[in-house]
PDB file of all heavy atoms in Angstrom:
ATOM      1  N   ALA D   9     123.700  12.695 133.888  1.00  0.00           N
ATOM      2  CA  ALA D   9     124.229  12.357 135.212  1.00  0.00           C
ATOM      3  C   ALA D   9     123.170  12.578 136.284  1.00  0.00           C
ATOM      4  O   ALA D   9     123.097  11.821 137.254  1.00  0.00           O
ATOM      5  CB  ALA D   9     125.464  13.184 135.517  1.00  0.00           C
ATOM      6  N   LEU D  10     122.341  13.586 136.110  1.00  0.00           N
ATOM      7  CA  LEU D  10     121.283  13.850 137.080  1.00  0.00           C
ATOM      8  C   LEU D  10     120.200  12.791 137.007  1.00  0.00           C
ATOM      9  O   LEU D  10     119.625  12.413 138.024  1.00  0.00           O
ATOM     10  CB  LEU D  10     120.694  15.241 136.841  1.00  0.00           C
ATOM     11  CG  LEU D  10     119.713  15.767 137.876  1.00  0.00           C
ATOM     12  CD1 LEU D  10     120.379  15.859 139.250  1.00  0.00           C
ATOM     13  CD2 LEU D  10     119.193  17.124 137.471  1.00  0.00           C
ATOM     14  N   VAL D  12     120.477   9.649 136.610  1.00  0.00           N
ATOM     15  CA  VAL D  12     120.823   8.365 137.218  1.00  0.00           C
ATOM     16  C   VAL D  12     121.042   8.462 138.725  1.00  0.00           C
ATOM     17  O   VAL D  12     121.209   7.441 139.386  1.00  0.00           O
ATOM     18  CB  VAL D  12     122.072   7.737 136.554  1.00  0.00           C
ATOM     19  CG1 VAL D  12     121.812   7.459 135.090  1.00  0.00           C
ATOM     20  CG2 VAL D  12     123.290   8.613 136.724  1.00  0.00           C
ATOM     21  N   GLU D  13     121.026   9.669 139.271  1.00  0.00           N
ATOM     22  CA  GLU D  13     121.218   9.821 140.716  1.00  0.00           C
ATOM     23  C   GLU D  13     119.957   9.398 141.455  1.00  0.00           C
ATOM     24  O   GLU D  13     118.851   9.605 140.979  1.00  0.00           O
ATOM     25  CB  GLU D  13     121.574  11.264 141.071  1.00  0.00           C
ATOM     26  CG  GLU D  13     122.925  11.694 140.588  1.00  0.00           C
ATOM     27  CD  GLU D  13     124.067  10.902 141.191  1.00  0.00           C
ATOM     28  OE1 GLU D  13     123.928  10.332 142.280  1.00  0.00           O
ATOM     29  OE2 GLU D  13     125.127  10.845 140.536  1.00  0.00           O
ATOM     30  N   SER D  14     120.150   8.796 142.640  1.00  0.00           N
ATOM     31  CA  SER D  14     118.979   8.305 143.370  1.00  0.00           C
ATOM     32  C   SER D  14     118.832   8.881 144.772  1.00  0.00           C
ATOM     33  O   SER D  14     117.789   8.729 145.385  1.00  0.00           O
ATOM     34  CB  SER D  14     119.027   6.778 143.447  1.00  0.00           C
ATOM     35  OG  SER D  14     120.226   6.365 144.077  1.00  0.00           O
ATOM     36  N   THR D  15     119.864   9.530 145.303  1.00  0.00           N
ATOM     37  CA  THR D  15     119.750  10.106 146.638  1.00  0.00           C
ATOM     38  C   THR D  15     119.720  11.628 146.549  1.00  0.00           C
ATOM     39  O   THR D  15     120.332  12.220 145.648  1.00  0.00           O
ATOM     40  CB  THR D  15     120.928   9.678 147.536  1.00  0.00           C
ATOM     41  OG1 THR D  15     122.145  10.196 146.998  1.00  0.00           O
ATOM     42  CG2 THR D  15     121.016   8.158 147.639  1.00  0.00           C
ATOM     43  N   VAL D  16     119.018  12.240 147.477  1.00  0.00           N
ATOM     44  CA  VAL D  16     118.844  13.693 147.451  1.00  0.00           C
ATOM     45  C   VAL D  16     120.181  14.438 147.523  1.00  0.00           C
ATOM     46  O   VAL D  16     120.395  15.371 146.748  1.00  0.00           O
ATOM     47  CB  VAL D  16     117.871  14.149 148.562  1.00  0.00           C
ATOM     48  CG1 VAL D  16     117.814  15.666 148.650  1.00  0.00           C
ATOM     49  CG2 VAL D  16     116.485  13.584 148.302  1.00  0.00           C
ATOM     50  N   PRO D  17     121.117  14.060 148.411  1.00  0.00           N
ATOM     51  CA  PRO D  17     122.389  14.795 148.427  1.00  0.00           C
ATOM     52  C   PRO D  17     123.145  14.712 147.099  1.00  0.00           C
ATOM     53  O   PRO D  17     123.691  15.718 146.635  1.00  0.00           O
ATOM     54  CB  PRO D  17     123.186  14.120 149.550  1.00  0.00           C
ATOM     55  CG  PRO D  17     122.156  13.513 150.434  1.00  0.00           C
ATOM     56  CD  PRO D  17     121.039  13.106 149.523  1.00  0.00           C
ATOM     57  N   ASN D  18     123.154  13.541 146.479  1.00  0.00           N
ATOM     58  CA  ASN D  18     123.826  13.402 145.180  1.00  0.00           C
ATOM     59  C   ASN D  18     123.121  14.208 144.104  1.00  0.00           C
ATOM     60  O   ASN D  18     123.766  14.818 143.244  1.00  0.00           O
ATOM     61  CB  ASN D  18     123.907  11.933 144.767  1.00  0.00           C
ATOM     62  CG  ASN D  18     124.904  11.162 145.590  1.00  0.00           C
ATOM     63  OD1 ASN D  18     125.711  11.725 146.316  1.00  0.00           O
ATOM     64  ND2 ASN D  18     124.838   9.851 145.503  1.00  0.00           N
ATOM     65  N   ILE D  19     121.801  14.213 144.146  1.00  0.00           N
ATOM     66  CA  ILE D  19     121.033  14.990 143.175  1.00  0.00           C
ATOM     67  C   ILE D  19     121.365  16.472 143.315  1.00  0.00           C
ATOM     68  O   ILE D  19     121.570  17.167 142.314  1.00  0.00           O
ATOM     69  CB  ILE D  19     119.524  14.736 143.348  1.00  0.00           C
ATOM     70  CG1 ILE D  19     119.169  13.320 142.887  1.00  0.00           C
ATOM     71  CG2 ILE D  19     118.694  15.770 142.591  1.00  0.00           C
ATOM     72  CD1 ILE D  19     117.753  12.896 143.221  1.00  0.00           C
ATOM     73  N   LEU D  20     121.437  16.952 144.552  1.00  0.00           N
ATOM     74  CA  LEU D  20     121.725  18.372 144.767  1.00  0.00           C
ATOM     75  C   LEU D  20     123.128  18.755 144.310  1.00  0.00           C
ATOM     76  O   LEU D  20     123.323  19.830 143.727  1.00  0.00           O
ATOM     77  CB  LEU D  20     121.532  18.724 146.243  1.00  0.00           C
ATOM     78  CG  LEU D  20     120.093  18.667 146.744  1.00  0.00           C
ATOM     79  CD1 LEU D  20     120.040  18.931 148.242  1.00  0.00           C
ATOM     80  CD2 LEU D  20     119.203  19.624 145.985  1.00  0.00           C
ATOM     81  N   VAL D  21     124.103  17.882 144.546  1.00  0.00           N
ATOM     82  CA  VAL D  21     125.472  18.163 144.107  1.00  0.00           C
ATOM     83  C   VAL D  21     125.539  18.242 142.584  1.00  0.00           C
ATOM     84  O   VAL D  21     126.101  19.186 142.015  1.00  0.00           O
ATOM     85  CB  VAL D  21     126.451  17.100 144.648  1.00  0.00           C
ATOM     86  CG1 VAL D  21     127.800  17.198 143.967  1.00  0.00           C
ATOM     87  CG2 VAL D  21     126.592  17.229 146.152  1.00  0.00           C
ATOM     88  N   VAL D  22     124.948  17.259 141.915  1.00  0.00           N
ATOM     89  CA  VAL D  22     124.972  17.235 140.452  1.00  0.00           C
ATOM     90  C   VAL D  22     124.166  18.415 139.900  1.00  0.00           C
ATOM     91  O   VAL D  22     124.579  19.060 138.935  1.00  0.00           O
ATOM     92  CB  VAL D  22     124.453  15.885 139.907  1.00  0.00           C
ATOM     93  CG1 VAL D  22     124.306  15.920 138.401  1.00  0.00           C
ATOM     94  CG2 VAL D  22     125.379  14.752 140.323  1.00  0.00           C
ATOM     95  N   LEU D  23     123.025  18.708 140.514  1.00  0.00           N
ATOM     96  CA  LEU D  23     122.202  19.828 140.063  1.00  0.00           C
ATOM     97  C   LEU D  23     122.960  21.149 140.170  1.00  0.00           C
ATOM     98  O   LEU D  23     122.932  21.968 139.255  1.00  0.00           O
ATOM     99  CB  LEU D  23     120.906  19.890 140.867  1.00  0.00           C
ATOM    100  CG  LEU D  23     119.922  20.985 140.473  1.00  0.00           C
ATOM    101  CD1 LEU D  23     119.442  20.793 139.037  1.00  0.00           C
ATOM    102  CD2 LEU D  23     118.746  21.000 141.428  1.00  0.00           C
ATOM    103  N   PHE D  24     123.661  21.356 141.287  1.00  0.00           N
ATOM    104  CA  PHE D  24     124.448  22.577 141.452  1.00  0.00           C
ATOM    105  C   PHE D  24     125.539  22.669 140.383  1.00  0.00           C
ATOM    106  O   PHE D  24     125.761  23.738 139.799  1.00  0.00           O
ATOM    107  CB  PHE D  24     125.069  22.636 142.851  1.00  0.00           C
ATOM    108  CG  PHE D  24     125.922  23.844 143.055  1.00  0.00           C
ATOM    109  CD1 PHE D  24     125.340  25.090 143.232  1.00  0.00           C
ATOM    110  CD2 PHE D  24     127.298  23.755 143.043  1.00  0.00           C
ATOM    111  CE1 PHE D  24     126.128  26.222 143.411  1.00  0.00           C
ATOM    112  CE2 PHE D  24     128.093  24.878 143.209  1.00  0.00           C
ATOM    113  CZ  PHE D  24     127.501  26.114 143.398  1.00  0.00           C
TER     114      PHE D  24
END
Side-chain angles (χ1 to χ4, degrees):
L10 188 60
V12 298
E13 292 298 336
S14 58
T15 64
V16 173
N18 288 347
I19 289 171
L20 292 176
V21 168
V22 173
L23 182 62
F24 178 74

